[in-house]
Amino acid sequence: MIIEENEFDKQIDDLLNKEKTARLANNLVETLKVTKQIANLCFVTKQYSKFNELIVSLSKKRGQPKKAQIELVQMAMIELKTLPINQKLEMIDAIMKVCEKKIYLEVEYARCVLMLTQYKEDDNQIADAAKILQEVQVETYGSMDKREKLEFILYQMKIMIKKLDYVRLFIISKKIEPKNIEDDNIADLKIIYYSFLVIYYRHENNYQETAHAYSKILESLHKNRQLEATKVDFNFKIDYNTVLENYALYTILSQYSEEKQKQLQSIATTYKYGLEALPNLQQLIQAFLGTELISTEPQTHNIQAAEIFDESIENNQQRYKDFRRQLIHHNLRIFQIYYDSVYLNRITELIAISTEELEEEICIMMDQKLLKCKIDRIKGIVDYQLKKNENDVLQEWGDNVNKVLNLIDLTSNLIKREEELFL
C-alpha cells in the first residue's frame, strides 16, 4: 500500500490527536488502539525513520500508560527481524532510548543490547561491544527467563575473552552461581560456562581450578554423551576422551596435596572404562598413586600429543616444565618414605637430574611444606630425620596418649556390650 507523503503526515497527525485525547482522558483501551494504528501505519508505508522518532516522543508524553509503551516496543521488536542492517540499527537505538532505565522494559532493552553487540562483534569492534555489554546487569532482571539470562551472561564472558580482558571475565563469571546451572535442562550452558572458566584459569596457570572446571564438563558428558555436540567458541574441544585427558593431566600438574591424591583415585575408579581408551594416561595416574620411582623425562610417558601441550594453546611450554617438575617431586616424596638419609649423587643417579636442579627442587618443596628435610652439602647428604623441637615432641606424645585412651575406651565399650548380650 502506497500513500502520498502529505497524506501520510495528515493521517499521523490525526492519530496523534486521537492518542492525546485518549491519553489525557485516561482511556487505556483507546490509547492502545491508536498507538498500534500509528505503528502499523509506519510499518506498512515503511516510514521507519518517522516511527523511530514517534516511539521516542510518545514514550515521553505525560501520562503515557506503561502498557502502551510495552505494546509499541514489542511491535518494533517483531518488525526488526525484517529490516536491513542500517534501518535495524537505527530502530534498535530508538528502542533502547525508550527502554532505558525502565524496569518493565528491561528484557527488551537487554535483547536490543545483545543484537547491537552481535553486530559490533561481526564488524570486529570488540572494544565497543564490550563497553556496551558491561553496562547491562541482567542478573538483577527478575522478568527474564533463566536460560535467556544465562545465555546473556555467557555472551558477556565470550566478548571479554575476545577482548583479552581476563579480570572482567572473572568478575562476570561470578554472576553465575554454580548451583544454578546444575540442571539437566541447561546442561549445554553449563558446559559452555565451565569451558570459558577453563580458558580463564588456563591463562592464569591455575591448574587446580582448571582441573575442577574440566571435572564439571566431564560430569555432564558422563551423564549424556550427546552433549559432545555442544558448540563452544575458541576451538574448545568438547570430546569425552579429550576432556577426560585434560582433567587428569591438569590434576597431575597441580601441587601435591591429599585432595589431589583423592581426585586422582576418583578419576581412576569413576572413569575406569573411559581410561581404557587412554592407556598411557591410565599408567601415568597409577604411577602417581603408587610408591615407586618414575621416569622424570616427560617423553617416556608418551603423552606429548595431549592437548595441554599443544602449541596453539598459550603457556604450553610452561605446562611441559611443570609436568616434569611434578614427576621430580613425586620421586622426592618416595625417597622420604624409604630413606632416613640418602646421598645426593644417589638421588641424581636414580632420577636422572643434575645436582643443582635437585637442590633447587628440594628447596621449592620445603618452601611449600611438601618435604621435611635438610641438605648437608659438605657430606652431600639429604637428611629426612630432622631433630624435633620440644613442642613437636610434646604434641606427638599428647597425640599418642589420646590414641591409647581412645582404644581403651573402645575396648571397654565392646566388653560391656558382650556382657549385656550373654549375662
Side-chain angles (χ1 to χ4, degrees), residues 48-49 52 85-95:
Y48 296 115
S49 296
N52 296 339
I85 188 64
N86 291 332
Q87 289 180 329
K88 181 181 285 189
L89 290 174
E90 290 174 3
M91 190 175 288
I92 286 173
D93 184 59
I95 295 171

Side-chain angles (χ1 to χ4, degrees), residues 28-43:
L28 178 60
V29 175
E30 185 64 23
T31 303
L32 289 174
K33 179 182 176 182
V34 174
T35 51
K36 285 181 181 180
Q37 287 176 345
I38 292 171
N40 285 325
L41 180 61
C42 291
F43 294 156

Side-chain angles (χ1 to χ4, degrees), residues 50-248:
K50 185 66 176 177
F51 173 77
N52 296 339
E53 179 187 328
L54 287 171
I55 191 174
V56 174
S57 63
L58 285 171
S59 68
K60 294 180 179 178
K61 298 290 185 182
R62 180 170 61 87
Q64 187 67 262
K66 293 180 182 179
K67 183 69 174 174
Q69 297 179 54
I70 293 170
E71 289 287 349
L72 277 173
V73 169
Q74 288 178 347
M75 290 178 73
M77 294 292 289
I78 294 170
E79 190 67 20
L80 268 177
K81 299 173 184 177
T82 65
L83 299 181
I85 188 64
N86 291 332
Q87 289 180 329
K88 181 181 285 189
L89 290 174
E90 290 174 3
M91 190 175 288
I92 286 173
D93 184 59
I95 295 171
M96 287 175 65
K97 286 178 181 177
V98 175
C99 297
E100 194 171 13
K101 297 180 181 179
K102 293 176 181 174
I103 294 176
Y104 52 90
L105 289 171
E106 60 187 8
V107 175
E108 286 76 10
Y109 180 77
R111 288 170 182 166
C112 285
V113 167
L114 190 61
M115 284 188 280
L116 181 60
T117 307
Q118 287 170 341
Y119 168 75
K120 296 283 186 185
E121 182 192 3
D122 293 340
D123 202 35
N124 205 29
Q125 300 178 40
I126 303 301
D128 292 341
K131 187 176 180 181
I132 296 168
L133 264 184
Q134 67 192 35
E135 295 174 358
V136 184
Q137 312 295 329
V138 293
E139 65 276 11
T140 63
Y141 292 3
S143 54
M144 184 177 274
D145 175 71
K146 179 180 178 180
R147 185 178 184 88
E148 187 179 4
K149 192 183 296 187
L150 287 171
E151 286 175 344
F152 192 97
I153 296 173
L154 290 174
Y155 189 73
Q156 287 179 315
M157 292 176 69
K158 172 187 167 183
I159 292 297
M160 293 308 155
I161 294 172
K162 285 195 170 186
K163 191 187 174 188
L164 303 180
D165 189 344
Y166 291 100
V167 174
R168 191 163 273 112
L169 167 64
F170 182 69
I171 293 170
I172 292 172
S173 72
K174 292 300 178 184
K175 293 179 179 181
I176 298 177
E177 286 286 337
K179 63 182 180 181
N180 290 337
I181 53 175
E182 295 297 330
D183 184 346
D184 291 341
N185 295 324
I186 52 172
D188 56 326
L189 300 184
K190 175 184 175 181
I191 286 176
I192 295 171
Y193 172 68
Y194 282 109
S195 299
F196 289 164
L197 284 185
V198 165
I199 293 171
Y200 170 74
Y201 288 121
R202 194 167 59 192
H203 171 77
E204 298 294 319
N205 283 331
N206 188 332
Y207 301 135
Q208 186 175 357
E209 290 298 334
T210 306
H212 175 71
Y214 267 119
S215 73
K216 290 295 184 179
I217 297 172
L218 187 62
E219 186 180 286
S220 295
L221 294 178
H222 197 63
K223 290 180 182 177
N224 184 3
R225 294 291 286 268
Q226 292 181 352
L227 290 169
E228 288 183 349
T230 304
K231 292 182 179 179
V232 182
D233 294 278
F234 314 107
N235 296 320
F236 196 95
K237 295 179 182 177
I238 306 297
D239 171 75
Y240 186 86
N241 287 343
T242 303
V243 172
L244 174 57
E245 182 180 59
N246 288 341
Y247 172 32

Side-chain angles (χ1 to χ4, degrees), residues 385-398:
Q385 288 293 317
L386 299 181
K387 184 178 179 181
K388 297 177 183 178
N389 61 37
E390 293 83 354
N391 290 332
D392 290 339
V393 172
L394 185 60
Q395 182 65 42
E396 185 178 351
W397 177 82

Side-chain angles (χ1 to χ4, degrees), residues 221-363:
L221 294 178
H222 197 63
K223 290 180 182 177
N224 184 3
R225 294 291 286 268
Q226 292 181 352
L227 290 169
E228 288 183 349
T230 304
K231 292 182 179 179
V232 182
D233 294 278
F234 314 107
N235 296 320
F236 196 95
K237 295 179 182 177
I238 306 297
D239 171 75
Y240 186 86
N241 287 343
T242 303
V243 172
L244 174 57
E245 182 180 59
N246 288 341
Y247 172 32
L249 287 175
Y250 276 111
T251 302
I252 288 170
L253 285 176
S254 61
Q255 183 177 302
Y256 175 81
S257 65
E258 289 298 323
E259 183 62 32
K260 173 183 174 177
Q261 295 303 101
K262 288 178 182 177
Q263 209 166 354
L264 285 174
Q265 187 63 54
S266 174
I267 293 170
T269 53
T270 306
Y271 305 107
K272 179 180 178 181
Y273 298 108
L275 286 170
E276 289 178 357
L278 302 164
N280 293 329
L281 180 61
Q282 191 174 34
Q283 290 175 13
L284 184 62
I285 292 172
Q286 293 303 326
F288 270 90
L289 289 172
T291 55
E292 296 181 1
L293 296 179
I294 56 178
S295 172
T296 56
E297 293 301 322
Q299 60 268 25
T300 62
H301 299 284
N302 300 314
I303 57 165
Q304 299 93 315
E307 188 186 50
I308 70 167
F309 302 126
D310 194 321
E311 292 181 0
S312 64
I313 301 175
E314 63 175 339
N315 301 328
N316 65 305
Q317 291 298 325
Q318 182 61 45
R319 285 191 288 275
Y320 193 80
K321 291 176 183 176
D322 289 337
F323 175 58
R324 183 171 183 272
R325 172 163 286 167
Q326 288 303 318
L327 294 171
I328 294 170
H329 286 193
H330 169 82
N331 289 332
L332 293 178
R333 288 193 302 274
I334 299 305
F335 279 108
Q336 188 176 28
I337 295 172
Y338 294 108
Y339 289 92
D340 291 338
S341 61
V342 59
Y343 285 100
L344 286 170
N345 58 8
R346 179 58 175 160
I347 297 177
T348 57
E349 179 187 338
L350 287 171
I351 64 176
I353 63 172
S354 66
T355 304
E356 292 77 12
E357 186 178 12
L358 173 60
E359 290 183 1
E360 181 185 349
E361 295 301 331
I362 289 175
C363 290

